[in-house]
Amino acid sequence: MTIRPELLQRRDRPQRYRERGWIFREIGVEPFIQCAGVRTLYGASNPSDEVIAAMNAAAEAFVDMDELADAVGQRLAQLTGAEWGVITAGTAATLALATAACIAGNNPELMLRLPETSGPRRKVLIPSDQRFSYEQAIRIAGGEIVSVATVEMLAEALDGSAAMICLLGRMDSASALPISSVLPLARAGGVPILVEAAGLSPKMPDRWIKCGADLVVYAGGKYIRAPQSTAIVLGRERLCKAIWWNGAPHQAFGRAMKVGKEEVVGAVVALDRWINFRTAANERDQWLPRLKRIESQLNFLPGVATEVLSWPGSVTAVRLKVSWDQNDVPFSAEDLRLALLQQRPRILIHDFWSTPTSIVLDPVNLRDDEAEMVGRALADAFSKPRCIAEPRSRLPAEADLSGSWRVEVEFLHGSATHRLDLQQNEALVSGFHHTGSSSGRLSGEVHGGHIRFEAMHEQIPISLFYGFEGKLVEDRIISGTVRLGGSAKEHLGPVFKGQYGPAEFRASQLPRNSR
């Protein structure tokens, strides 16, 4: 579908082309009202008016990117009290570039070998209780991740083989290895500390730099409302500059992690705005009133309760929990989430902070009129619960699936052979799912000839999920699709359980004496 050029230029467009989200509708995608925070999957946050104006101004001229980086480094230092700063192509890119900087510096012989590392320093130490979902970015730069659970283990790991220590900022206060415990050993071993603070709030002076971190990275496209594909890195001048030289536009490891001049300028303005502009403070002041608008429409519904939550360490600090008694409201949070996405306007709520009978709403990306619409939609749902989920009919199982099954899985590219070991008790199925390299517990149901079960392969930091759905196509043959995903415990929900897309499968039951 082609977007007509005049629609992008005319101020006197017809009304439908002035409504929010019109450009997505023009290419066939229906936008939604965003109550699920600043998740990248849903577009994070929109750049502020000041950021868009700055990016448009940057798009009018050209500049040497190295000169721009030098000026930006000084400006970020002025804004935060750090020695220096650099804008990168997102937080995950920063993890990779910081690893490259700590392993290779700007030694070209080392830089051009990455991710191959032959030097003595390539290990990245992470406290065991701070393992997180984006560690693969460290590994792609050649870093070898080593978990350390105690101060003694950390001291032992600082044996000359460590290139960097990575800490998760939002876990610091609850960790067995907070930065205050790590810092003395890191200093003695000459190993830099990187704090991943993607969803936290930068200040002047910067908290983590003040605590002794050598580098700290903030997501640009979340609460700060910079371009979504940016991150802001603060810290020691030499390390920040090494990050820059390892990345685009240079022919080095991070060339693929390009950030444009418009994004660089937009991110700097966004940080300045977050710290210093009255417009950003006014914006934050509206978060709680928006939740109260929603709450006011739910307070008198039978079986429904609301609670404003304050989350220590969170930028937003406030969210609204809505819970219900399933005797009065006989649908699940997932039923509600899917139903709100089907209606118009579409409304998106969190999945991984839900329980079967509660949801959590985030105010950051809401406008006042949207908060009103969310409140009305929820009130309608709780008043007419059968419009959300009708009682499901349960057919008796057509076959007993107990036994071992050979499973041929066809991915979007490539294939694999798996095995299922199943036990069936009436409609309920349990057992194990085996791939070529791991095994996971499985549970699900059979109704009529339709099967649905899920296997979880527990791993650190991301457990793998395989969601099988299919039907008996002939005697002892099942055919269907597999939803592929992975999730850390904190993000556990249906969205991440399917984040790697679909595959097709065909399973055939093995003779009882086969394994």
Side-chain angles (χ1 to χ4, degrees), residues 267-278:
V268 175
V269 170
L271 180 63
D272 194 355
R273 176 183 184 270
W274 177 264
I275 294 173
N276 296 316
F277 288 21
R278 184 65 242 173

Side-chain angles (χ1 to χ4, degrees), residues 338-354:
L338 294 175
L340 292 175
L341 282 172
Q342 294 300 316
Q343 67 174 38
R344 295 293 183 270
R346 301 175 79 195
I347 295 172
L348 178 76
I349 60 177
H350 275 295
D351 64 306
F352 59 68
W353 283 338
S354 299

Side-chain angles (χ1 to χ4, degrees), residues 116-433:
E116 296 179 8
T117 53
S118 56
R121 288 180 178 254
R122 61 184 296 264
K123 293 180 179 177
V124 177
L125 312 181
I126 304 179
S128 301
D129 57 7
Q130 296 186 41
R131 299 293 299 273
F132 62 108
S133 302
Y134 304 100
E135 295 175 3
Q136 189 173 22
I138 294 171
R139 297 202 308 274
I140 65 174
E144 177 190 343
I145 294 172
V146 176
S147 284
V148 289
T150 65
V151 170
E152 292 75 20
M153 288 180 67
L154 175 62
E156 185 177 343
L158 290 168
D159 58 1
S161 63
M164 185 174 78
I165 298 170
C166 182
L167 304 179
L168 196 57
R170 58 189 167 77
M171 293 293 295
D172 186 71
S173 61
S175 176
L177 286 172
I179 191 170
S180 56
S181 299
V182 172
L183 185 62
L185 292 171
R187 287 286 181 268
V191 178
I193 297 172
L194 166 70
V195 175
E196 197 269 48
L200 303 184
S201 176
K203 298 178 181 179
M204 171 60 173
D206 184 80
R207 167 192 172 184
W208 301 105
I209 300 300
K210 193 175 179 181
C211 287
D214 300 282
L215 293 168
V216 56
V217 54
Y218 297 98
K222 294 186 183 294
Y223 305 102
I224 301 172
R225 296 187 65 189
Q228 185 193 353
S229 56
T230 62
I232 297 163
V233 191
L234 309 171
R236 285 170 45 194
E237 180 175 351
R238 295 173 71 88
L239 283 175
C240 287
K241 287 184 173 180
I243 285 174
W244 175 252
W245 295 115
N246 274 276
H250 314 108
Q251 294 174 328
F253 164 78
R255 171 68 187 190
M257 303 169 191
K258 185 182 293 186
V259 60
K261 64 186 191 302
E262 297 84 5
E263 296 168 306
V264 171
V265 170
V268 175
V269 170
L271 180 63
D272 194 355
R273 176 183 184 270
W274 177 264
I275 294 173
N276 296 316
F277 288 21
R278 184 65 242 173
T279 54
N282 290 342
E283 193 174 85
R284 296 192 287 271
D285 289 343
Q286 293 306 307
W287 291 344
L288 181 58
R290 286 173 190 152
L291 294 181
K292 290 294 186 181
R293 284 173 183 258
I294 298 171
E295 187 178 44
S296 67
Q297 301 191 56
L298 305 177
N299 279 339
F300 304 105
L301 294 172
V304 179
T306 59
E307 178 186 4
V308 174
L309 303 175
S310 179
W311 291 33
S314 166
V315 174
T316 55
V318 288
R319 296 182 178 98
L320 182 67
K321 181 178 181 181
V322 182
S323 55
W324 57 92
D325 186 328
Q326 208 152 32
N327 292 321
D328 295 304
V329 183
F331 57 68
S332 71
E334 181 62 4
D335 291 331
L336 178 60
R337 186 182 75 87
L338 294 175
L340 292 175
L341 282 172
Q342 294 300 316
Q343 67 174 38
R344 295 293 183 270
R346 301 175 79 195
I347 295 172
L348 178 76
I349 60 177
H350 275 295
D351 64 306
F352 59 68
W353 283 338
S354 299
T355 70
T357 57
S358 72
I359 60 172
V360 173
L361 305 175
D362 191 303
V364 173
N365 281 317
L366 287 178
R367 299 171 186 255
D368 290 343
D369 61 330
E370 291 175 335
E372 290 283 348
M373 287 188 273
V374 171
R376 287 197 300 270
L378 290 174
D380 286 346
F382 290 124
S383 300
K384 305 168 186 175
R386 288 189 179 275
C387 294
I388 301 298
E390 291 287 346
R392 296 178 176 88
S393 61
R394 302 297 189 183
L395 299 174
E398 292 181 1
D400 186 344
L401 305 183
S402 298
S404 293
W405 296 72
R406 178 187 175 92
V407 184
E408 300 297 336
V409 182
E410 286 290 333
F411 300 104
L412 296 176
H413 183 69
S415 61
T417 301
H418 296 180
R419 193 179 83 241
L420 301 175
D421 293 327
L422 304 180
Q423 291 290 328
Q424 184 173 334
N425 181 8
E426 296 183 346
L428 299 180
V429 176
S430 61
F432 292 89
H433 170 229

Side-chain angles (χ1 to χ4, degrees), residues 16-32:
R16 63 178 286 228
Y17 294 115
R18 284 182 277 158
E19 295 174 354
R20 290 194 295 269
W22 71 267
I23 197 163
F24 295 115
R25 295 187 185 96
E26 191 72 6
I27 59 176
V29 179
E30 182 65 28
F32 43 66

Side-chain angles (χ1 to χ4, degrees), residues 81-97:
E83 281 186 19
W84 209 250
V86 62
I87 305 301
T88 67
T91 308
T94 299
L95 294 173
L97 291 169

